[in-house]
Amino acid sequence: MLKEVLSITGKPGLFKIVSNGKNMLVVEDIASGKRMPAHGRDKIISLGDVAIYTDKGEVPLSDVFELVREKTDTKPVDYKKLDAEGKLRDYFGEILPDFDRDRVYTSDIKKLFSWYNLLIGAGYTTFAASVAEEAAEYAVDTQEEDEKEAE
């Protein structure tokens, strides 16, 4: 699900892919529904490719969002209040206890909660891919690799 949700550097909010054209994507802001082009020169990151460092490796953002959703009962996180009280990192530690405190900055946690709030506000309530989605994605990746080897 998060593969289609994008963050574009320099543009506030999150976007979903509507279509693609020559040297650009047409994206739609998930909050306002406004469409705009995203060009090749823009730094575009799929949320499906983002992970959080832990002491044991990396945890995909979708799994972290699921943990946040379970903790907050699908409600937005008031991360600005938590940050003002100096409790933001402690709160995130309750959600993901083994996050790497040296490599995960406070700004990363704020961005994570900001993205979570945007997604909840846009009606997204499940973040982890289902087993069927993962199997379909694996099948597509395997087929592409087989085609490349055949060439």
Side-chain angles (χ1 to χ4, degrees), residues 61-135:
L61 189 61
S62 59
D63 294 349
V64 176
F65 280 162
E66 279 295 323
L67 293 170
V68 174
R69 185 186 62 76
E70 290 170 11
K71 171 110 173 121
T72 63
D73 199 27
T74 317
K75 293 186 177 115
V77 177
D78 190 0
Y79 65 94
K80 292 178 183 177
K81 179 182 176 187
L82 289 168
D83 187 39
E85 295 173 355
K87 297 179 182 177
L88 185 67
R89 294 179 71 79
D90 294 335
Y91 183 76
F92 189 65
E94 293 174 16
I95 295 167
L96 190 65
D98 63 339
F99 81 95
D100 190 332
R101 282 157 172 75
D102 294 331
R103 293 171 41 183
V104 177
Y105 300 108
T106 302
S107 61
D108 299 331
I109 297 170
K110 287 180 189 178
K111 183 168 283 192
L112 179 141
F113 286 140
S114 170
W115 287 346
Y116 172 80
N117 290 347
L118 285 169
L119 290 169
I120 291 296
Y124 292 86
T125 56
T126 56
F127 303 103
S130 69
V131 174
E133 288 175 357
E134 289 178 1

Side-chain angles (χ1 to χ4, degrees), residues 131-147:
V131 174
E133 288 175 357
E134 289 178 1
E137 187 174 313
Y138 175 77
V140 169
D141 290 344
T142 306
Q143 181 180 4
E144 288 174 356
E145 288 176 10
D146 291 344
E147 290 172 359

